[in-house]
Amino acid sequence: MDYTMFHDGKGLGKVRKKRKKSDNGILRAVLVGISLLLQVGWILLTVLKLNRYSAVISLFTEVIAAAVVLRLYSRNTNSAFKMPWTMLILVLPVMGLSLYLLVELLGSVGNRRRCRRMKEGNADIKPEQDEKVLAGLARKDRAVYNQASYLWVHGEDPVYAGTRTEYHAEAAKAYCALTDALEQAESFIFMEYFLLEDAEAFNGIREILVRKARQGVEVRLMYDDVGSIGYVDLKFAKQLNDQGIQCRAFNPVLPVLNLFMNNRDHRKITVIDGKVAFTGGYNLANEYFTDTPHRGHWKDTGLRLEGDAVRSLTAAFLEQWRMAGGKEPTDPEKYLASQALPLGEGYVQPYTDSPLSQERKAETVYLNLIGYARDHIYFMTPYLIITDELCRALGAAAKRGVDVRIITPGIPDKKTVYRMTRSYYGVLAAQGVRIYEYTPGFLHAKQCVCDGVLASIGTSNLDYRSLYLHFENDVFLYDCPAVEAMEADFRETLALSQEVTEGYKDRRGGVPRLWDRILRLLAPMM
């Protein structure tokens, strides 16, 4: 296959003409949607029928609603999630209580059980922390040590010194590096992506995977069922399994109202022989590697790791693989043997985030980086739908003199979400945060650079879904060449972006302001 057609868009016309959505996937999504609407309709119908007994029910529901709201308010979660439920329960008690019980309360119980099973079942694949590495980091920078220690103590994510990193400023470059590495695989290949598209970009990788499987390489592939609906059909996984590729869909879509259905696997991981790994913002679909007529240039980034830190991404994959298909016998040493390089570059700490855990690691890392910043902190994010805590932290950094800049897309992929992103500009701009929009098209990168020495890159957007509802993976970097490359890329991307700060500094009135308030109220549910 000619991979170069994903570099500069020269094969764009051919790719776009060939691209098609999976009719089976779309039909499946429609049927699931209809089923969910029927369940909501049944709840509404029940509420209407109960109105005839309103005098008896009123007092009872008010007491229950007050108790549930008090319980909701006392939960250790972000206040933005509490407010929509609180309003719904108090305004429409019967419907609100029914939905809360069905979707939130029962789902939370199920998620706690899943979290407990994960901890019990994955103890054999957790990498250990080399205390000498932590001690060396403490001598070099105590504040960075504190950050790394947090991820180890509260997330079981070790920090490594024997790793090399390579930053990819464009997804097309990452694609070529990925396919080159896949060609070198000798023992195993693990791949986990939110979205796979049965089209040219993935089919180039598929050819390599099939060939490697025939050569005796163990190949495992996992994709999120919701993320890939409309891009692959129901036969996709079976076809890959028939070709020697072990393939699983994570959290298959079921036509039921359930909290866990809202928890999607948004991770992007490739591990090859436990020696080399790739992660970043890109999925394995055509639009991530070519320009598009309706979204312009698609800007995405990635990271290649070689060395000891690959173990953490291997373990992260194996955890999700077990969750997707149940525990299976494995030989951890086969996959997790140390591959430390004698001349590693700086400190590298891959970390994961899970909606099943009470620890919000991705958000905490962002908050810690903002707090660490002395000179500047730069973000690239496709969505800017943030918590009050992040808003205050960004504003506080700008007020103390830190140069805080955020680049978001100039052309949206989802118009409502884009409008919601823009609703946060005003409060940030008023505090001194500078906002830019990427003029050439859609920016999908998820990364942060702080003072030219610290960075985080991976799959976590600055939005509620990534920070609270999805399974994510990122990499914390300190004093690595990749950090310098990320900062240089930010400045190059900044030159292609338009600053919109001044247009949002003043408070807007009337309908736009009211609409912004409504969108921000609904943001945690989007």
Side-chain angles (χ1 to χ4, degrees):
M1 180 181 175
D2 181 14
Y3 303 132
T4 60
M5 72 178 180
F6 297 107
H7 281 233
D8 52 17
K10 290 182 179 178
L12 178 62
K14 178 171 63 173
V15 170
R16 289 295 144 190
K17 287 179 183 177
K18 288 184 177 181
R19 177 182 172 179
K20 63 183 182 66
K21 299 279 182 143
S22 166
D23 293 336
N24 289 338
I26 293 173
L27 178 61
R28 183 178 172 216
V30 169
L31 291 175
V32 170
I34 291 173
S35 177
L36 295 176
L37 287 174
L38 288 173
Q39 292 178 60
V40 174
W42 177 82
I43 293 172
L44 292 174
L45 182 62
T46 302
V47 170
L48 291 174
K49 285 187 175 181
L50 288 174
N51 279 340
R52 70 184 68 176
Y53 307 106
S54 59
V56 179
I57 292 174
S58 179
L59 180 61
F60 177 76
T61 53
E62 287 178 6
V63 172
I64 298 298
V68 170
V69 167
L70 286 173
R71 179 191 181 280
L72 179 62
Y73 185 77
S74 67
R75 283 180 58 191
N76 184 26
T77 188
N78 191 276
S79 59
F81 283 95
K82 302 174 186 179
M83 188 56 66
W85 279 117
T86 299
M87 292 182 65
L88 180 62
I89 291 170
L90 292 179
V91 175
L92 299 170
V94 177
M95 184 178 73
L97 287 170
S98 300
L99 286 172
Y100 181 74
L101 177 65
L102 186 62
V103 177
E104 189 75 15
L105 193 58
L106 295 180
S108 296
V109 173
N111 279 0
R112 285 197 296 270
R113 291 174 180 170
R114 291 184 184 93
C115 186
R116 188 166 55 250
R117 287 200 301 269
M118 278 187 66
K119 288 182 178 179
E120 293 171 352
N122 293 320
D124 60 327
I125 55 175
K126 287 290 186 183
E128 291 297 321
Q129 175 64 65
D130 184 342
E131 294 298 332
K132 293 180 180 179
V133 173
L134 268 180
L137 184 55
R139 289 191 296 270
K140 193 166 186 178
D141 190 312
R142 184 70 190 190
V144 179
Y145 161 81
N146 290 341
Q147 165 60 58
S149 181
Y150 158 74
L151 285 174
W152 167 241
V153 174
H154 297 281
E156 298 181 292
D157 300 304
V159 60
Y160 302 90
T163 302
R164 296 195 190 109
T165 56
E166 178 181 285
Y167 174 67
H168 299 138
E170 291 290 340
K173 181 180 178 181
Y175 183 90
C176 287
L178 174 61
T179 52
D180 288 346
L182 290 172
E183 292 280 13
Q184 305 303 315
E186 297 177 348
S187 178
F188 65 88
I189 297 171
F190 295 159
M191 304 186 78
E192 175 185 352
Y193 287 85
F194 176 67
L195 191 161
L196 296 183
E197 181 186 18
D198 192 5
E200 291 83 0
F202 174 71
N203 287 336
I205 291 173
R206 180 176 183 167
E207 291 174 9
I208 301 173
L209 298 182
V210 171
R211 184 169 6 102
K212 287 296 175 179
R214 289 172 180 167
Q215 293 172 3
V217 174
E218 179 184 357
V219 181
R220 304 193 198 185
L221 175 67
M222 181 164 55
Y223 61 92
D224 187 82
D225 201 36
V226 167
S228 300
I229 277 187
Y231 292 89
V232 301
D233 59 29
L234 293 173
K235 299 178 181 178
F236 179 75
K238 183 179 185 305
Q239 290 171 348
L240 290 177
N241 278 290
D242 290 343
Q243 292 178 306
I245 300 170
Q246 300 177 55
C247 184
R248 290 178 180 172
F250 182 84
N251 197 5
V253 178
L254 299 174
V256 293
L257 286 172
N258 185 289
L259 184 65
F260 192 57
M261 286 293 106
N262 205 26
N263 301 143
R264 309 314 313 176
D265 185 357
H266 195 241
R267 298 176 183 177
K268 290 95 179 173
I269 295 172
T270 291
V271 176
I272 301 165
D273 295 342
K275 300 177 181 178
V276 176
F278 294 82
T279 189
Y282 57 91
N283 289 293
L284 302 184
N286 283 354
E287 63 188 357
Y288 292 83
F289 309 106
T290 64
D291 293 349
T292 64
H294 54 296
R295 292 175 188 161
H297 177 68
W298 188 294
K299 166 72 174 176
D300 218 329
T301 62
L303 187 72
R304 179 187 185 273
L305 298 91
E306 181 181 2
D308 223 15
V310 174
R311 286 193 295 164
S312 286
L313 290 172
T314 306
F317 174 88
L318 290 172
E319 285 182 358
Q320 291 294 89
W321 183 262
R322 288 177 173 181
M323 185 183 289
K327 187 173 181 180
E328 61 185 54
T330 61
D331 177 11
E333 289 303 316
K334 175 182 178 181
Y335 307 111
L336 299 169
S338 177
Q339 303 286 347
L341 299 178
L343 298 175
E345 302 167 337
Y347 293 86
V348 180
Q349 190 169 23
Y351 62 97
T352 59
D353 211 355
S354 167
L356 305 184
S357 170
Q358 293 297 313
E359 195 64 48
R360 304 302 176 192
K361 289 188 279 184
E363 184 180 34
T364 301
V365 168
Y366 284 142
L367 288 168
N368 288 345
L369 287 173
I370 296 167
Y372 179 94
R374 297 296 178 267
D375 182 70
H376 63 267
I377 186 164
Y378 302 147
F379 289 89
M380 289 188 197
T381 180
Y383 315 116
L384 184 63
I385 306 171
I386 53 178
T387 62
D388 291 341
E389 290 84 351
L390 276 170
C391 262
R392 285 195 296 271
L394 289 166
K399 289 174 181 176
R400 69 173 184 263
V402 176
D403 181 12
V404 183
R405 306 191 190 198
I406 303 172
I407 305 179
T408 64
I411 299 176
D413 64 334
K414 306 174 185 70
K415 290 185 178 180
T416 301
V417 177
Y418 185 58
R419 185 68 191 83
M420 194 172 289
T421 286
R422 283 182 158 183
S423 75
Y424 285 81
Y425 288 0
V427 66
L428 292 171
Q431 298 179 83
V433 177
R434 300 178 69 178
I435 310 293
Y436 297 77
E437 291 183 343
Y438 180 64
T439 306
F442 182 65
L443 181 143
H444 193 254
K446 308 104 168 23
Q447 59 194 55
C448 165
V449 181
C450 175
D451 290 349
V453 294
L454 292 172
S456 180
I457 179 174
T459 68
S460 295
N461 299 312
L462 284 175
D463 69 3
Y464 286 97
R465 291 213 136 263
S466 274
L467 301 179
Y468 285 83
L469 300 176
H470 283 168
F471 294 90
E472 305 282 358
N473 75 277
D474 299 276
V475 182
F476 174 64
L477 303 167
Y478 172 59
D479 198 24
C480 302
V483 178
E484 298 176 16
M486 289 172 66
E487 176 142 342
D489 181 45
F490 183 91
R491 297 188 184 278
E492 291 175 9
T493 306
L494 197 68
L496 298 173
S497 304
Q498 178 182 5
E499 185 169 6
V500 296
T501 309
E502 291 300 323
Y504 287 88
K505 271 187 177 179
D506 297 327
R507 285 182 172 271
R508 295 183 299 165
V511 175
R513 187 176 176 186
L514 175 61
W515 183 233
D516 284 353
R517 289 174 175 175
I518 294 172
L519 287 175
R520 291 184 65 175
L521 175 65
L522 299 175
M525 303 301 176
M526 297 298 286

